[in-house]
């Protein structure tokens, strides 16, 4: 019975992640690359830190060639956590807000 519950939990999180445009699940991590200028990157990372701290998820954020690369992962497991999927959703909200403010 427990294995079935775990399987349902994984399916639910995978389904939720599938609704988030641009995020990919690869092994131990989920990731997203965003096209942001330097000020947008700074705004996103500042806001993301607050949400990540509340969810106790540590994102790996890198800036490379005008792109912001975000990786969320739980080392040692290929399972998604609710915190990772929630943070990915919040990052999408923050991204849309920042992009809308630039328009």
């Amino acid at each position: 019975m427990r294995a079935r519950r775990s399987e349902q939990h994984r399916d639910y999180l995978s389904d939720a992640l599938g609704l988030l445009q641009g995020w990919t699940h690869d092994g131990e991590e989920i990731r997203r690359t965003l096209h942001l200028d330097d000020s947008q990157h700074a705004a996103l990372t500042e806001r993301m830190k607050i949400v990540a701290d509340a969810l106790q998820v540590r994102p790996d954020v890198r800036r490379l060639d005008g792109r912001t690369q975000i990786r969320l992962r739980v080392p040692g497991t290929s399972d998604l956590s609710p915190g990772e999927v929630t943070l990915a959703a919040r990052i999408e909200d923050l991204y849309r807000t920042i992009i809308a403010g630039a328009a």
Side-chain angles (χ1 to χ4, degrees):
M1 180 85 150
R2 188 150 177 88
R4 185 174 191 184
R5 186 175 194 196
S6 176
E7 186 73 27
Q8 290 172 340
H9 180 73
R10 255 195 316 268
D11 289 346
Y12 171 78
L13 293 173
S14 294
D15 289 347
L17 182 63
L19 297 174
L20 298 174
Q21 183 178 3
W23 286 88
T24 58
H25 184 206
D26 184 24
E28 294 182 352
E29 68 183 21
I30 59 175
R31 62 178 176 239
R32 174 93 155 94
T33 300
L34 305 169
H35 296 278
L36 299 169
D37 65 27
D38 289 338
S39 64
Q40 292 168 330
H41 169 81
L44 179 69
T45 55
E46 181 179 312
R47 295 172 188 176
M48 185 187 339
K49 182 179 180 349
I50 294 166
V51 177
D53 285 348
L55 294 170
Q56 298 181 349
V57 176
R58 300 293 168 246
D60 178 19
V61 181
R62 296 175 189 218
R63 186 86 174 131
L64 183 64
D65 298 327
R67 291 186 216 104
T68 298
Q69 299 174 337
I70 304 165
R71 293 179 4 186
L72 307 175
R73 66 188 185 113
V74 176
T77 179
S78 61
D79 292 343
L80 291 172
S81 76
E84 291 169 319
V85 176
T86 301
L87 181 55
R90 293 294 297 132
I91 290 169
E92 285 302 306
D93 289 342
L94 295 170
Y95 174 62
R96 278 189 233 113
T97 300
I98 290 167
I99 295 302

